[in-house]
Amino acid sequence: MVEFLQNIFTNDIVITVLLSAIPLVFIIAYVLVVLYTEMKISAHIQDRLAYMITGWHGVLQPIADMVKLLLKEDIIPERADRLLFRLAPYITFAATYATYAVIPFSSIYIGANIQLGAFFILASSSLVVIGILMAGWSSNNKWSLIGGLRSAAQMISYEIPTALAIIIAVVITGSMNLQDVTIFQDGGIQNWLIFGGPFPLTKKLLLLPFTIITFIILFIASIAEVNRTPFDLPEAESELVQGFFTEYSGLRFAMFYLSEYANLFVVSAVVVSLFLGGWSSPFGSFMSGPVWGIFWFVTKSYLLVMLQIWIRWTLPRIRVDQLMHVSWKVLTPWLFVCLLAVGGILVMV
Amino acid sequence: MSAVATYFKNIFHALYTVLVGMKITGSRLFKRSVTIQYPYVKKAIPERARNRLYVNIDDCIGCNQCGMACPVDCITIDTIKSTPDVDLGMTSKNTKKRLYIAKFDIDFAKCCFCGLCTYPCPTECIYMTDVYEYSEYERRNLIYSFATMTPEEIEMAEAKLKQYEAEQAAKKSAPPIPPKPSQPSNPSDGSTAS
């Protein structure tokens, strides 16, 4: 993609801007779709219809929602820390958007082909915590503060299982570059890491239980990273109004909302790239190619996003001490065992 | 049970219940919803539902029983007596109407739909219909007037009544007509009272 653009434009700055604007366009289109999907799925699970009036069965409603958020009055509380209050949504969104740079959407497009892709993702998703803490503190509101602190505790605790699961995938494939990991899994559904990877059968069968457990744990940890139910203590709607972004309205709220859904896609995309084959087609060479790659990648990530929506409307929220118990006492030890087992199998078999 | 066994049991129990929950919500995802799309599809309401009142003003005899029965005083009735030479017609129960109805206002902002006004009406001219969609943008549009007399007719009726009453009053206060003296008997036998 870079070479293709270099043939058209000679200016490097223009090429960089174009390459980095592609995920932004994708995010905006995706947010409209996922808002509609979430509303409809949550409504049908609860035996009700949602949004039937605007457009056929309400397809134009997300646009109406975004327009409404843009037109709302911008309220800043009187005693709020003005600089932090204004800065917080942008930091959160920038950190989430930075993660999009290293995700391979297709075999020809990856924003920044760096060799430390997975590490970079972990680092920039920690920046989201800073944005949330700033939002919670600067709102001058007890409940926002509690929400912000809970969110910081939760995200930091669940970074450990995420990092360990990513390490396991990296150990199997030997590279942190997500594009290399995806190419490693190319060739059909049997080559996906969740099914053991492109190894001979004995190695695969030995690796299989550990990679499945790792996939499940990575998925759970990624739901916790994005503050979705059952881990949505920071935005516990019935306890803290809206949690750390209670005092935000209009465009600032839209930035937080946008970054929440963008984050949702990014963690699903990371799980898909590492364990479900990224942009490679499950049929091997049938329906594969650069453009098909985008289709497969977006479809698989979107299916995981829908799975997260499904879980959201199934489970109640867990308490903060149960949250810590799950992270430190369940997910992390199991991942250590998986890491040791995977390392041992790779060395000895 | 040892702590280790409890630990594992809890994990598997948690995973299992999550899957059971997801099966339930997943199956409900594909079942038909029970919502009906209100403005386009309306449910039938019961036969004797108590909704907006209607007054058949041709039958009203102006007795104000409904106004007196109303617990929130939302019915206002003004009547004018008619003079004996006017025939206002008969009600459906074949009684003669004797009063002009100058004003019959029901304020639906106050009406509590109790139906107490419908029971005492002698001609059953006030009754509850099944209309429930009559919101208005301004509150004064909720005061429904059922009387059909124009202001000129009201003036004429009042003037006529005044004139009739003045006549009646004049008749009552006029000096009594002296009784006609009875004819004294003609004395034919010559006796005269002196």
Side-chain angles (χ1 to χ4, degrees), chain B residues 10 21 39 44 48 51-52 59 64 66 77 84 102 112 115 125 130 146 148 154 162 164 189 192:
Chain B
N10 282 342
R48 304 207 184 114
N51 290 106
R52 191 173 69 176
D59 263 352
N64 204 20
C66 53
I77 300 183
C112 63
C125 72
D130 62 353
F146 289 98
T148 50
I154 296 179
K162 251 176 127 169
Y164 178 74
D189 51 358
T192 48

Short mmCIF file of all heavy atoms in Angstrom, two decimals, chain B residues 10 21 39 44 48 51-52 59 64 66 77 84 102 112 115 125 130 146 148 154 162 164 189 192:
data_model
loop_
_atom_site.label_atom_id
_atom_site.label_comp_id
_atom_site.label_asym_id
_atom_site.label_seq_id
_atom_site.Cartn_x
_atom_site.Cartn_y
_atom_site.Cartn_z
N ASN B 10 -15.55 -23.75 41.46
CA ASN B 10 -16.11 -22.41 41.19
C ASN B 10 -15.85 -21.99 39.77
O ASN B 10 -16.72 -21.41 39.11
CB ASN B 10 -15.49 -21.37 42.14
CG ASN B 10 -16.11 -21.44 43.50
OD1 ASN B 10 -17.18 -21.99 43.65
ND2 ASN B 10 -15.43 -20.89 44.49
N GLY B 21 -26.63 -19.10 30.51
CA GLY B 21 -27.25 -17.79 30.31
C GLY B 21 -27.22 -17.36 28.86
O GLY B 21 -28.20 -16.84 28.32
N PRO B 39 -48.48 3.88 16.96
CA PRO B 39 -49.37 4.74 16.18
C PRO B 39 -49.94 4.05 14.95
O PRO B 39 -50.99 4.44 14.45
CB PRO B 39 -48.47 5.90 15.73
CG PRO B 39 -47.23 5.77 16.49
CD PRO B 39 -47.11 4.36 16.92
N ALA B 44 -57.30 -3.09 20.58
CA ALA B 44 -58.70 -2.80 20.86
C ALA B 44 -58.89 -2.62 22.35
O ALA B 44 -58.34 -3.37 23.14
CB ALA B 44 -59.56 -3.96 20.37
N ARG B 48 -66.66 -1.43 27.54
CA ARG B 48 -67.26 -0.41 28.41
C ARG B 48 -66.18 0.47 29.00
O ARG B 48 -66.28 0.89 30.12
CB ARG B 48 -68.05 -1.07 29.52
CG ARG B 48 -69.07 -1.99 28.96
CD ARG B 48 -70.24 -2.17 29.86
NE ARG B 48 -71.11 -3.16 29.24
CZ ARG B 48 -71.35 -4.33 29.74
NH1 ARG B 48 -70.83 -4.67 30.90
NH2 ARG B 48 -72.12 -5.18 29.10
N ASN B 51 -63.58 6.45 28.77
CA ASN B 51 -62.67 7.47 28.24
C ASN B 51 -63.47 8.75 28.02
O ASN B 51 -64.34 9.04 28.79
CB ASN B 51 -61.99 6.95 26.99
CG ASN B 51 -61.01 5.85 27.32
OD1 ASN B 51 -61.27 4.70 27.06
ND2 ASN B 51 -59.92 6.20 27.95
N ARG B 52 -63.16 9.48 26.95
CA ARG B 52 -63.73 10.83 26.84
C ARG B 52 -65.25 10.81 26.83
O ARG B 52 -65.89 9.98 26.21
CB ARG B 52 -63.21 11.45 25.55
CG ARG B 52 -63.50 12.90 25.45
CD ARG B 52 -62.82 13.49 24.27
NE ARG B 52 -63.41 13.01 23.02
CZ ARG B 52 -63.04 13.45 21.84
NH1 ARG B 52 -62.07 14.33 21.75
NH2 ARG B 52 -63.60 12.97 20.76
N ASP B 59 -80.78 15.88 23.83
CA ASP B 59 -81.53 15.19 24.88
C ASP B 59 -81.40 15.86 26.23
O ASP B 59 -82.06 15.47 27.18
CB ASP B 59 -80.98 13.76 25.02
CG ASP B 59 -81.83 12.77 24.25
OD1 ASP B 59 -82.88 13.18 23.75
OD2 ASP B 59 -81.44 11.59 24.20
N ASN B 64 -78.64 19.59 35.58
CA ASN B 64 -77.38 19.77 36.30
C ASN B 64 -77.10 18.67 37.29
O ASN B 64 -76.31 18.84 38.22
CB ASN B 64 -77.34 21.14 37.00
CG ASN B 64 -75.90 21.59 37.24
OD1 ASN B 64 -74.99 21.10 36.59
ND2 ASN B 64 -75.73 22.48 38.18
N CYS B 66 -75.54 15.99 36.50
CA CYS B 66 -74.16 15.56 36.22
C CYS B 66 -73.18 16.55 36.83
O CYS B 66 -72.16 16.16 37.40
CB CYS B 66 -73.94 15.45 34.72
SG CYS B 66 -74.36 16.91 33.79
N ILE B 77 -72.76 24.19 33.67
CA ILE B 77 -74.00 24.27 32.87
C ILE B 77 -74.70 25.58 33.21
O ILE B 77 -74.87 25.91 34.38
CB ILE B 77 -74.93 23.08 33.19
CG1 ILE B 77 -74.20 21.78 32.87
CG2 ILE B 77 -76.22 23.19 32.41
CD1 ILE B 77 -75.04 20.58 33.07
N PRO B 84 -93.59 29.99 28.25
CA PRO B 84 -94.55 28.91 27.94
C PRO B 84 -94.97 28.84 26.47
O PRO B 84 -95.42 27.81 26.01
CB PRO B 84 -95.76 29.24 28.82
CG PRO B 84 -95.25 30.14 29.87
CD PRO B 84 -94.07 30.84 29.32
N ALA B 102 -77.69 27.22 27.62
CA ALA B 102 -76.83 28.27 27.08
C ALA B 102 -75.37 27.85 27.08
O ALA B 102 -74.61 28.19 26.18
CB ALA B 102 -76.99 29.54 27.91
N CYS B 112 -61.76 13.22 35.70
CA CYS B 112 -61.00 12.07 36.20
C CYS B 112 -61.59 10.74 35.73
O CYS B 112 -61.19 9.70 36.20
CB CYS B 112 -60.91 12.09 37.72
SG CYS B 112 -62.47 11.96 38.56
N GLY B 115 -66.91 8.51 35.78
CA GLY B 115 -68.20 8.07 35.27
C GLY B 115 -69.36 8.38 36.18
O GLY B 115 -70.48 7.96 35.92
N CYS B 125 -78.11 11.26 28.34
CA CYS B 125 -77.51 11.97 27.21
C CYS B 125 -76.01 12.12 27.36
O CYS B 125 -75.32 12.42 26.39
CB CYS B 125 -78.15 13.36 27.06
SG CYS B 125 -77.66 14.49 28.35
N ASP B 130 -65.02 5.62 23.76
CA ASP B 130 -63.72 4.96 23.88
C ASP B 130 -62.60 5.77 23.25
O ASP B 130 -61.58 5.23 22.84
CB ASP B 130 -63.78 3.57 23.24
CG ASP B 130 -64.09 3.66 21.76
OD1 ASP B 130 -64.39 4.76 21.27
OD2 ASP B 130 -64.06 2.61 21.10
N PHE B 146 -70.37 21.82 24.55
CA PHE B 146 -71.36 21.01 23.86
C PHE B 146 -72.63 21.78 23.51
O PHE B 146 -73.46 21.30 22.76
CB PHE B 146 -71.74 19.80 24.71
CG PHE B 146 -70.64 18.78 24.80
CD1 PHE B 146 -69.78 18.74 25.88
CD2 PHE B 146 -70.45 17.87 23.78
CE1 PHE B 146 -68.77 17.82 25.95
CE2 PHE B 146 -69.43 16.94 23.83
CZ PHE B 146 -68.59 16.92 24.92
N THR B 148 -75.15 24.39 21.77
CA THR B 148 -75.19 24.82 20.38
C THR B 148 -75.88 26.15 20.17
O THR B 148 -76.24 26.50 19.06
CB THR B 148 -75.93 23.76 19.52
OG1 THR B 148 -77.16 23.47 20.16
CG2 THR B 148 -75.10 22.54 19.36
N ILE B 154 -78.84 33.32 22.54
CA ILE B 154 -78.86 33.42 24.00
C ILE B 154 -79.43 34.77 24.41
O ILE B 154 -80.27 34.87 25.31
CB ILE B 154 -77.44 33.24 24.55
CG1 ILE B 154 -76.94 31.83 24.25
CG2 ILE B 154 -77.41 33.50 26.03
CD1 ILE B 154 -75.55 31.57 24.74
N LYS B 162 -86.84 37.88 30.24
CA LYS B 162 -86.97 39.08 31.06
C LYS B 162 -88.31 39.74 30.83
O LYS B 162 -89.03 40.12 31.75
CB LYS B 162 -85.88 40.08 30.67
CG LYS B 162 -84.81 40.25 31.69
CD LYS B 162 -83.76 41.16 31.15
CE LYS B 162 -83.50 42.28 32.11
NZ LYS B 162 -82.32 43.02 31.71
N TYR B 164 -91.03 38.36 29.69
CA TYR B 164 -92.11 37.55 30.23
C TYR B 164 -92.22 37.73 31.73
O TYR B 164 -93.30 37.86 32.29
CB TYR B 164 -91.84 36.08 29.87
CG TYR B 164 -92.85 35.13 30.42
CD1 TYR B 164 -94.13 35.05 29.88
CD2 TYR B 164 -92.53 34.30 31.50
CE1 TYR B 164 -95.06 34.18 30.39
CE2 TYR B 164 -93.46 33.43 32.01
CZ TYR B 164 -94.72 33.37 31.45
OH TYR B 164 -95.64 32.51 31.97
N ASP B 189 -142.44 44.25 45.53
CA ASP B 189 -143.58 44.29 46.44
C ASP B 189 -143.65 45.62 47.21
O ASP B 189 -144.42 45.77 48.13
CB ASP B 189 -143.52 43.09 47.37
CG ASP B 189 -142.17 42.98 48.01
OD1 ASP B 189 -141.25 43.84 47.69
OD2 ASP B 189 -141.90 42.03 48.76
N THR B 192 -139.28 48.86 50.73
CA THR B 192 -137.96 49.46 50.49
C THR B 192 -137.21 49.57 51.78
O THR B 192 -137.79 49.83 52.83
CB THR B 192 -138.10 50.89 49.93
OG1 THR B 192 -139.01 51.60 50.71
CG2 THR B 192 -138.47 50.85 48.48
#
